[in-house]
Amino acid sequence: LPPVRVGYLAAGRKPKELERTRNEIASGTTRIAVGTHALIQEGVKFQKLGLVIIDEEHDASYKQQDTPRYNGRDVALVRAKNAHAVAILGSATPSIETRFNASSQKIRAASPS
């Protein structure tokens, strides 16, 4: 298989690096994007979004306290749903929202084997 380009978007990277990475993701040149809230907050365009992994989904750092207020985890889930992508919520201690959504079968829960 040919090598796959991986882009990294996170605060602290130089603006030119971030812009180049955003363009590579949008064009499909970079097929895997790893990042922090920057992937959600900046509305990065994906040529084809297939999988979203939200690690430590319970973490309060996903909650934006500035205006407008939102939860980055929830925004990531909506983006995945709109793209018909799979979303994986990872946590040893799931949030109460995630536990409720799994128990009410709004989302499917899976435990590691």
Side-chain angles (χ1 to χ4, degrees):
L1 295 171
V4 176
R5 288 184 54 92
V6 176
Y8 179 63
L9 288 173
R13 296 206 56 212
K14 295 178 181 172
K16 286 191 183 247
E17 292 173 335
L18 292 172
E19 184 63 27
R20 185 186 75 244
T21 301
R22 277 189 218 97
N23 290 337
E24 289 174 351
I25 292 168
S27 72
T29 305
T30 292
R31 306 235 354 251
I32 298 173
V34 177
T36 58
H37 299 116
L39 282 169
I40 298 302
Q41 292 170 332
E42 298 178 21
V44 174
K45 306 276 189 262
F46 292 89
Q47 191 174 63
K48 181 177 184 333
L49 181 61
L51 174 66
V52 175
I53 300 171
I54 303 124
D55 191 30
E56 301 299 333
E57 63 85 16
H58 67 276
D59 197 305
S61 68
Y62 285 109
K63 294 180 181 179
Q64 179 67 33
Q65 298 302 318
D66 298 335
T67 304
R69 288 180 169 218
Y70 62 91
N71 187 318
R73 176 203 58 213
D74 296 342
V75 173
L77 291 172
V78 169
R79 286 195 72 183
K81 182 178 180 180
N82 289 343
H84 305 289
V86 173
I88 297 174
L89 298 170
S91 178
T93 55
S95 67
I96 193 160
E97 299 93 345
T98 297
R99 293 178 74 94
F100 174 80
N101 287 333
S103 69
S104 64
Q105 298 183 343
K106 187 173 179 182
I107 61 175
R108 187 175 56 192
S111 299
S113 47

